[in-house]
Amino acid sequence: MNDTFLRACRGEKVEYTPVWLMRQAGRYLSQYQVVRANADFLTLCKTPELAVEVTLQPVEILGVDAAILFSDILIPVESMGMRLEFSEKKGPILSEPIRNRAAVERLTIPDTEEDMPFIIEAIKILRKKLENKVPLIGFSGAPFTIATYMIEGGTSKNFVHTKKMMFQHNGVFSYLLDKLTTTVISYLSAQVKAGAQALQIFDTWAGMLAPLDYKEFALPYIKKAISELKKDGVPIIYFVNDCAGILKEVRKSGADVIGIDWRIDIGDAIKKLGKKVIVQGNLDPCALFLPREKIEERVKDILWKGEAAKGHIFNLGHGILPGTPVENAIAMVEAVHKYGKKE
Ligand code: CP3
């Protein structure tokens, strides 16, 4: 069994630096496009056979050291009672955004087995099909990031509605975040119970917060979620996009592995986090548009700097982009395996 990824997450000795890519299943793969041509995105997420098929594609094609369940961070939001759509142009749309206490009140805490059985089913099939070839990562959004989608109604630039709700200090924001924290804990715990061998929590928008606000409005909830989830015994990766300004606070999350974006030098990030930390990252997704030799140079630089940490899992600094040449993604994985060999 290739458990290199899991051992790296635990800070144990590995023969080489393991690698996987955020959003490794997706539109840059023609094989994904074939499946997607006959099913819209939400149908893909909710049909275990299809979700399984696209989850396995990058494992075969890229030779990565981990699989990540194909789904979306907004799936549990629909189960909480909000109407969710994906538009080709605008991305996710939640047509009735949460703006007051009554709207938070209406949200239910979903039961994963009952309300999202397709997640459980997909994980169970995946564990069988993977035959321990590589471990399976389950995931969720962080409470703060999920909240931004619910409050803004979709992706946002300035997060004005979210910050207005935070700054009103009338208990509505914390009421919403408490409900989301409970949801995230039970959702991820159900994924572990079904067979997920590691968890990644995506905090895509936490970097939009001033450090002081991150400390008050995001950190307490993620900390609580992680401390509860630790009881399940699988490694927890916490990815914060645009993390450079809040790394000192991010370290307090209690996660086993900190995922970092590409805007900070990984060596500097390790210095800020302390050498006991295990890091994941952090090649700029756009670097995969470079010629192969240049990709190799950047891979070597990150690998070399990553040696300063207690453990390093190679990844991009955010999701792989549509239009990325697949052969470059393969070259990146090969370079990590070649140059990341330990003595
Ligand atoms: O990593 C993987 O391969 C697993 C699949 C996965 C998807 N979304 C599939 C997806 C994961 C882990 C996510 C997480 C996710 N979803 C995040 C956090 C990670 C990040 O990128 O910051 C966020 C913010 C979302 C919300 C979301 N989903 C947006 C903003 C969009 C539209 C933008 C886009 O990339 O299309 C999506 C849609 C989405 N999620 C697609 C995929 C493959 C594209 C849908 C399609 O096929 O048309």
Side-chain angles (χ1 to χ4, degrees), residues 22-25 27 32 36 41 68-73 86 91-92 139 149 155 202 204 318:
M22 289 189 271
R23 297 279 195 109
Q24 64 190 15
R27 286 165 299 186
Y32 172 85
R36 181 71 171 73
F41 176 61
I68 180 161
L69 171 70
F70 187 84
S71 182
D72 197 83
I73 62 162
F86 277 89
F139 75 89
Y149 284 99
T155 304
F202 288 91
T204 305
H318 202 174

Side-chain angles (χ1 to χ4, degrees), residues 81-342:
M82 291 186 82
R83 190 143 24 93
L84 171 67
E85 278 171 82
F86 277 89
S87 126
E88 292 294 329
K89 283 206 183 104
K90 289 197 208 151
I93 300 171
L94 294 153
S95 47
E96 286 170 64
I98 305 285
R99 298 285 161 82
N100 54 42
R101 175 171 286 272
V104 181
E105 199 115 38
R106 283 194 291 273
L107 296 170
T108 55
I109 310 278
D111 175 317
T112 307
E113 277 91 357
E114 223 162 81
D115 303 320
M116 295 169 272
F118 47 86
I119 294 279
I120 306 295
E121 186 66 19
I123 293 174
K124 286 185 176 163
I125 303 173
L126 276 166
R127 283 299 308 275
K128 270 196 209 123
K129 289 217 168 170
L130 281 165
E131 296 175 310
N132 284 330
K133 211 168 102 192
V134 294
L136 176 65
I137 306 169
F139 75 89
S140 133
F144 177 78
T145 286
I146 304 176
T148 66
Y149 284 99
M150 295 171 105
I151 301 166
E152 304 294 336
T155 304
S156 173
K157 218 171 176 177
N158 296 313
F159 300 89
V160 173
H161 294 290
T162 306
K163 292 188 181 183
K164 267 186 175 164
M165 192 188 280
M166 280 161 41
F167 296 157
Q168 269 168 359
H169 277 284
N170 58 2
V172 178
F173 187 80
S174 60
Y175 184 25
L176 173 60
L177 271 276
D178 280 333
K179 273 198 167 176
L180 282 171
T181 305
T182 307
T183 299
V184 165
I185 294 166
S186 76
Y187 180 59
L188 287 176
S189 204
Q191 292 186 34
V192 175
K193 205 171 139 213
Q197 291 153 291
L199 296 172
Q200 172 148 325
I201 306 177
F202 288 91
D203 220 345
T204 305
W205 300 119
M208 293 301 288
L209 292 170
L212 179 125
D213 290 325
Y214 175 80
K215 208 168 156 180
E216 180 175 353
F217 298 107
L219 181 61
Y221 306 98
I222 190 69
K223 221 166 138 177
K224 178 170 184 208
I226 290 172
S227 83
E228 282 296 318
L229 288 162
K230 284 230 162 147
K231 296 176 192 156
D232 291 329
V234 306
I236 301 168
I237 308 165
Y238 178 41
F239 168 74
V240 182
N241 189 28
D242 220 339
C243 66
I246 52 173
L247 270 181
K248 263 203 247 149
E249 299 302 329
V250 166
R251 189 179 52 178
K252 297 180 189 158
S253 65
D256 300 291
V257 181
I258 304 293
I260 54 184
D261 65 284
W262 73 93
R263 298 168 189 86
I264 181 168
D265 179 274
I266 194 166
D268 292 341
I270 295 164
K271 270 188 209 134
K272 281 195 184 168
L273 288 164
K275 291 184 175 166
K276 281 191 205 139
V277 81
I278 301 163
V279 289
Q280 176 177 276
N282 74 341
L283 183 71
D284 182 347
C286 281
L288 293 182
F289 293 99
L290 284 165
R292 190 174 172 146
E293 327 77 74
K294 297 277 179 204
I295 294 173
E296 287 199 357
E297 270 173 33
R298 287 182 182 229
V299 165
K300 280 193 224 170
D301 180 60
I302 291 170
L303 283 170
W304 183 73
K305 289 172 175 160
E307 286 294 319
K310 187 176 163 201
H312 178 212
I313 295 131
F314 200 99
N315 205 314
L316 298 176
H318 202 174
I320 189 166
L321 296 164
T324 300
V326 180
E327 61 276 17
N328 289 6
I330 296 171
M332 185 205 95
V333 171
E334 283 174 358
V336 175
H337 285 158
K338 182 172 169 194
Y339 300 110
K341 277 208 186 84
K342 316 284 178 195

